[in-house]
Amino acid sequence: MISAMKRMLLIIKILLMSISVQAEKTLDIYWVDVEGGAATLMVTPAGQSILIDTGNPGTRDAGRIHEVATKQAGLKKIDFLITTHFHGDHFGGAAPLSQLMPIGYVYDNGIPVRNPDRNRQDPAFILKVRPYKNMKVEGRKVVKPGDSLPLKQETGVEKVNFTFVVAARQFIDPPANVKKNPLAGSVPPMKEDLSDNANSVASLITLGGFRFLDCGDLTWNMEAKLVEPVNRVGTVDVYQVNHHGLASSNNPVLIKSVAPTVSVMNNGHRKGCSPSAFAALTSTKSIQAMYQVHKNLREDGDKNNTADEFIANLGEPRDCEALALKLSVKADGKSYTLFNPRNKHQRTFKTRKH
């Protein structure tokens, strides 16, 4: 029969183990379904929130972001908002979101005084961007490559960094003594992209050895410049598929150079997941799993979709539950887990040596 003292020690041990499990902090990333726009929400181990892009104008996408932020992530505020560029599916939800929850500091390329797309006229652009310009925030900063967010660090967790690597067609300096990329010059350029997509802000997020790359809608030639003639960002664990998987982005030289283990595509029911982008992903030998927010429902979907297991939303828009994919990085940065809420799929990957 167990003694009272031993019983007490056992209870204390169990309580301490429970506290240890509860206290474990992770870096969490959510890909919010904004119907082919972009909204990537991150929560650091210290509880700070970072939102990259806010989806489309109107209340639908802002409401979806707010629901994920408050109900899933337990947030009351967005500490940092990064707007990659000034297309409606990336900045349109910001002003409505600011009516639902406080927004701290906003980072972008600077609010344009005219339509930043050089290939089309849009006199109404200033009216479209006005709510974004006038929304209540704590402060605004213009992004410069090499800048980083002033993140708080959590005791007992590997350091978290958020670094801007591209902004307004300018690039972060390469590491010292980096060798020429052997893939440089292997893919021909496209005609110059005159849209604001090419100006997209790109960011590298790390926790210990874990590395995540989000480049907004960065386009083909700019993608190449990020890794040619030298690779300025190195390899990563997770690659957010650029530009929703459209053909004007996802240059194979970028994807193969950063060599991700996992790709995540925030596409729409019939937007993104282009044959060329899908081919670039499937031909990248490092990729072990490809996740999508939506199943591609176009006629070419039989060839240009990942397995249903890795897709959050399968049906038509009228039936869409707007489920968000989630990734959690362990406190030591040595592994990370992808979770699909639709089918409770969960898969853990080991962080690579970079």
Side-chain angles (χ1 to χ4, degrees):
M1 185 174 179
I2 189 169
S3 68
M5 180 61 71
K6 287 184 178 180
R7 187 181 298 113
M8 181 63 69
L9 290 174
L10 180 60
I11 292 172
I12 292 173
K13 183 177 180 180
I14 292 172
L15 287 173
L16 289 174
M17 289 175 63
S18 175
I19 292 170
S20 177
V21 170
Q22 293 176 10
E24 184 175 6
K25 302 292 185 179
T26 57
L27 169 64
D28 294 330
I29 305 175
Y30 302 83
W31 285 271
V32 183
D33 175 20
V34 288
E35 302 286 353
T40 306
L41 175 67
M42 285 167 272
V43 184
T44 73
Q48 289 182 298
S49 55
I50 305 163
L51 176 63
I52 303 181
D53 292 327
T54 51
N56 295 279
T59 58
R60 184 199 65 193
D61 291 355
R64 289 181 178 182
I65 295 168
H66 179 256
E67 183 170 355
V68 172
T70 57
K71 295 184 179 180
Q72 295 187 40
L75 299 173
K76 295 182 179 180
K77 172 187 177 182
I78 299 298
D79 293 300
F80 303 100
L81 169 62
I82 290 88
T83 297
T84 60
H85 63 294
F86 287 94
H87 282 167
D89 58 334
H90 287 254
F91 82 90
L97 180 62
S98 71
Q99 299 298 313
L100 298 175
M101 62 192 309
I103 295 177
Y105 283 84
V106 177
Y107 291 72
D108 54 38
N109 281 324
I111 300 174
V113 296
R114 62 182 65 85
N115 177 18
D117 286 349
R118 292 179 286 152
N119 58 341
R120 61 182 178 185
Q121 296 296 319
D122 185 7
F125 175 80
I126 298 303
L127 294 177
K128 295 176 183 176
V129 81
R130 185 175 294 168
Y132 177 88
K133 180 179 180 180
N134 293 336
M135 67 181 179
K136 184 179 179 181
V137 299
E138 292 178 15
R140 294 179 180 271
K141 293 180 181 289
V142 175
V143 175
K144 301 295 181 185
D147 288 352
S148 60
L149 294 183
L151 297 179
K152 299 175 182 177
Q153 303 300 324
E154 184 73 8
T155 302
V157 180
E158 289 292 320
K159 187 175 182 180
V160 180
N161 287 306
F162 186 108
T163 305
F164 297 107
V165 296
V166 185
R169 305 186 188 221
Q170 301 298 312
F171 299 84
I172 193 171
D173 292 335
N177 302 317
V178 64
K179 295 181 180 179
K180 181 179 178 179
N181 185 351
L183 296 174
S186 60
V187 178
M190 285 187 176
K191 183 180 179 181
E192 183 188 7
D193 188 298
L194 300 176
S195 76
D196 201 37
N197 291 322
N199 296 319
S200 286
V201 171
S203 307
L204 180 67
I205 300 91
T206 64
L207 186 154
F210 172 82
R211 294 162 64 82
F212 166 52
L213 182 65
D214 181 333
C215 298
D217 283 2
L218 201 66
T219 44
W220 193 276
N221 295 349
M222 295 297 109
E223 291 172 325
K225 289 184 178 181
L226 184 57
V227 294
E228 291 181 344
V230 298
N231 186 343
R232 298 168 183 267
V233 293
T235 55
V236 302
D237 295 285
V238 178
Y239 165 66
Q240 179 173 304
V241 180
N242 289 349
H243 206 175
H244 325 289
L246 291 173
S248 55
S249 300
N250 298 290
N251 188 328
V253 76
L254 170 71
I255 300 174
K256 294 181 191 306
S257 295
V258 300
T261 301
V262 172
S263 68
V264 181
M265 184 188 301
N266 202 341
N267 59 319
H269 298 89
R270 290 175 174 81
K271 178 181 179 181
C273 215
S274 67
S276 63
F278 199 77
L281 294 169
T282 55
S283 65
T284 301
K285 296 180 180 179
S286 64
I287 295 180
Q288 297 179 19
M290 297 163 51
Y291 289 81
Q292 295 169 205
V293 171
H294 281 284
K295 187 168 187 175
N296 169 22
L297 298 181
R298 297 191 309 269
E299 291 183 0
D300 65 350
D302 58 333
K303 297 180 180 179
N304 301 301
N305 268 311
T306 190
D308 285 0
E309 179 184 7
F310 305 118
I311 303 176
N313 301 284
L314 297 179
E316 293 284 352
R318 64 179 177 272
D319 303 317
C320 184
E321 296 183 67
L323 299 173
L325 293 169
K326 180 183 178 182
L327 179 151
S328 292
V329 187
K330 296 279 283 186
D332 60 9
K334 294 181 179 180
S335 65
Y336 53 98
T337 300
L338 267 293
F339 177 69
N340 182 355
R342 179 184 59 79
N343 56 0
K344 304 300 185 288
H345 159 90
Q346 187 168 296
R347 183 172 173 183
T348 298
F349 303 84
K350 289 185 178 180
T351 300
R352 294 169 48 198
K353 292 183 179 180
H354 299 284

